[in-house]
Amino acid sequence: MIQQITWQTFLVATLVLTVIWYVAIVLLFYRRELFKVLGRGQLGNVNQFKRTEALPHRWEKGVEELSVRGADEEEMELMGKSKLPEGMMMVDSGGFGFAGGEDAREEQVGLVPDVLAEIRSLFAELSRNDLGKRDFLEMMASVRESFPKIASSPNIGRINEFIAEHAPFHLSAEELENLWD
């Protein structure tokens, strides 16, 4: 059957289908521009939604200002104001702090995480080099020298718990206490 189609028939069919395709595209997507070019200007209600003037901006006169709601006013939302989970409340960044004074804040935020990071790196080195308990105790001496204030920290019990949980060998309570002496 394909052998019966000539090149001339093929090219005419291709040309006709191409023209139909582009006419459909122009009529669907470029109707307004086509009628402007043809000189009709409008076709029924095609241009009824076009605005001739721009909307007013907030800096121009005659535009209403939105009122800023205070913290006491309830914000109106579609389904009402969202409720926080029980026991939680919204505070600004200055409304919370750590227990104790400024020294306790520095100790809780800086010293303990630094010591824990150092201990984690010790454990990583122990596992990389396949070292044992004796090597760990020697390495902990350098940690103790680097952080002398940690021995008097109220969080030393939690640090010892962390060491006992993550150490690849057993450490007795006496050995944990002696780490910081």
Side-chain angles (χ1 to χ4, degrees), residues 112-129:
V112 174
D114 290 344
V115 170
L116 289 177
E118 189 71 27
I119 292 171
R120 283 188 191 105
S121 68
L122 270 170
F123 287 146
E125 188 174 335
L126 286 174
S127 64
R128 260 194 320 259
N129 298 330

Side-chain angles (χ1 to χ4, degrees), residues 88-103:
M88 291 183 71
M89 62 185 210
M90 295 291 290
V91 296
D92 47 350
S93 61
F96 71 94
F98 296 98
E102 191 64 35
D103 294 334

Side-chain angles (χ1 to χ4, degrees), residues 124-144:
E125 188 174 335
L126 286 174
S127 64
R128 260 194 320 259
N129 298 330
D130 207 19
L131 300 175
K133 187 177 191 179
R134 179 171 298 190
D135 299 314
F136 171 73
L137 294 174
E138 290 172 5
M139 290 179 192
M140 279 302 293
S142 67
V143 173
R144 183 177 52 235

Side-chain angles (χ1 to χ4, degrees), residues 1 41 55 81-82 91 109 134 140 156 158 174:
M1 176 165 177
L55 292 173
K81 190 173 181 180
S82 62
V91 296
V109 174
R134 179 171 298 190
M140 279 302 293
I156 196 71
R158 289 188 178 172
E174 183 181 336

Side-chain angles (χ1 to χ4, degrees), residues 17-42:
L17 290 175
T18 303
V19 168
I20 290 172
W21 174 258
Y22 280 109
V23 166
I25 295 294
V26 167
L27 287 177
L28 285 175
F29 297 108
Y30 300 103
R31 185 178 317 161
R32 291 182 187 160
E33 289 83 1
L34 176 67
F35 289 120
K36 283 181 183 178
V37 169
L38 295 177
R40 289 191 180 174
Q42 288 186 353

